[in-house]
Amino acid sequence: NYDHRRGWVESLLFELEAVFAIDVAAFAVMSNHLHVVLRIDIDTANRWSDIEVLEQWHKLFKGDELTRKFARGGLVEAYEVTRLKHAIATYRSRLCDISWFMRCLNEPIARQANQEDNCSGRFWEGRFKSQALLDEAAVLACMAYVDLNPIRAKMATTPEQSNHTSIQLRVQAALKGEQPSNLLPFIGNERDNQPKGIAFALRDYLGLVDDTGRIIRDDKRGAIGENSAKLLTRLNIPQENWLRLTTEFGKLFHGPV
């Protein structure tokens, strides 16, 4: 039983979220694959000072003698400035790059698993696949598809029983009137000067996922509740289309969504 490795992935996912300028909106760590919905936070990456960029990068990598010296507040010689600026610009770019994020997720898990199995060689089958989510309907549909993975796979019967998923964390926090600090929050309807987050009400999303999960699990067509139906109307998604999106998302789209 390799189920404990799902915990490795979830734990490392949140360690990286705290380092990169990348937010985790949804995730599901399955028995043999992983789904994540990520938001690249360019604004945060650009707001970081040069020192902050190096501090973030050095949480994962050693850097070199020059970057370590600058991060400690040491004197940088004039002839070193150009090389230092180039390194900082490179690290700033990497800290909001999904390829680097996934590299930092996949490689340590592979090393840890190989060590546990006392073997070497490849652990992951291939490179990750990435799709751009271009509007709020795409984001919500993909999040629900990811959150409902364990129910579709019959690994769980309800969202709150779906271990190693963002929906389980959101339900557990919602019961305390909170939202998980390490997930991109729901911030309610779109408005001026809104904070960073997903422009829907958390209660509406949880209700929609719960309704959809019941349909998938029990095959009860037309079991979308009134509030969920209103949300789908706002998104201009017919109910029958929503069910296809949340069960066949990976098959329906092969490029930007």
Side-chain angles (χ1 to χ4, degrees):
N1 186 327
Y2 296 100
D3 214 43
H4 60 286
R5 292 181 179 175
R6 296 168 67 201
W8 295 354
V9 175
E10 181 177 354
S11 178
L12 183 55
L13 187 66
F14 289 132
E15 287 181 35
L16 296 176
E17 183 272 341
V19 173
F20 281 77
I22 290 178
D23 300 304
V24 178
F27 72 91
V29 186
M30 305 297 283
S31 59
N32 64 353
H33 65 281
L34 165 72
H35 292 281
V36 285
V37 180
L38 302 172
R39 176 186 179 272
I40 300 173
D41 191 354
I42 297 286
D43 292 337
T44 290
N46 288 336
R47 279 197 303 268
W48 281 336
S49 66
D50 289 350
I51 290 282
E52 286 173 324
V53 169
L54 293 181
E55 287 174 345
Q56 293 299 99
W57 185 255
H58 289 163
K59 291 175 183 177
L60 298 173
F61 299 97
K62 291 180 180 179
D64 58 26
E65 188 177 341
L66 177 59
T67 63
R68 291 195 298 273
K69 179 172 71 172
F70 181 69
R72 291 194 303 265
L75 179 65
V76 175
E77 302 293 341
Y79 71 89
E80 297 175 311
V81 170
T82 299
R83 182 160 65 89
L84 177 64
K85 286 187 173 181
H86 177 74
I88 291 169
T90 298
Y91 298 160
R92 192 188 301 273
S93 173
R94 289 175 180 177
L95 286 167
C96 53
D97 185 313
I98 286 178
S99 291
W100 273 89
F101 185 94
M102 294 305 296
R103 172 180 174 175
C104 293
L105 180 69
N106 291 343
E107 288 185 3
I109 297 297
R111 285 196 301 270
Q112 197 172 354
N114 282 346
Q115 184 177 21
E116 186 178 71
D117 292 339
N118 193 28
C119 69
S120 61
R122 293 179 60 182
F123 175 77
W124 300 95
E125 187 176 87
R127 192 176 186 276
F128 74 95
K129 299 185 180 80
S130 174
Q131 291 173 274
L133 306 174
L134 301 182
D135 60 20
E136 60 180 11
V139 171
L140 212 68
C142 189
M143 286 181 63
Y145 170 79
V146 168
D147 279 330
L148 288 167
N149 254 259
I151 291 177
R152 282 198 311 276
K154 296 183 169 47
M155 294 170 63
T157 55
T158 64
E160 57 268 29
Q161 293 172 344
S162 300
N163 295 330
H164 306 295
T165 63
S166 48
I167 193 69
Q168 185 183 59
L169 297 183
R170 291 194 189 278
V171 170
Q172 289 172 347
L175 292 172
K176 304 173 190 173
E178 302 169 355
Q179 293 201 52
S181 60
N182 44 15
L183 290 174
L184 189 66
F186 284 82
I187 55 172
N189 294 337
E190 219 169 322
R191 58 195 184 279
D192 291 335
N193 302 316
Q194 67 182 19
K196 179 177 71 174
I198 304 159
F200 298 94
L202 174 63
R203 180 186 293 270
D204 290 347
Y205 177 74
L206 293 180
L208 179 61
V209 171
D210 189 56
D211 287 350
T212 310
R214 291 173 191 273
I215 295 172
I216 293 171
R217 186 189 69 208
D218 302 328
D219 198 29
K220 293 182 178 176
R221 299 298 169 196
I224 290 284
E226 185 179 346
N227 284 342
S228 297
K230 287 179 182 176
L231 180 55
L232 293 180
T233 299
R234 171 186 157 189
L235 293 169
N236 197 28
I237 301 177
Q239 290 186 28
E240 58 273 17
N241 287 11
W242 174 255
L243 293 173
R244 281 199 69 200
L245 288 170
T246 51
T247 53
E248 302 176 39
F249 194 93
K251 298 176 184 175
L252 293 172
F253 303 103
H254 301 285
V257 182

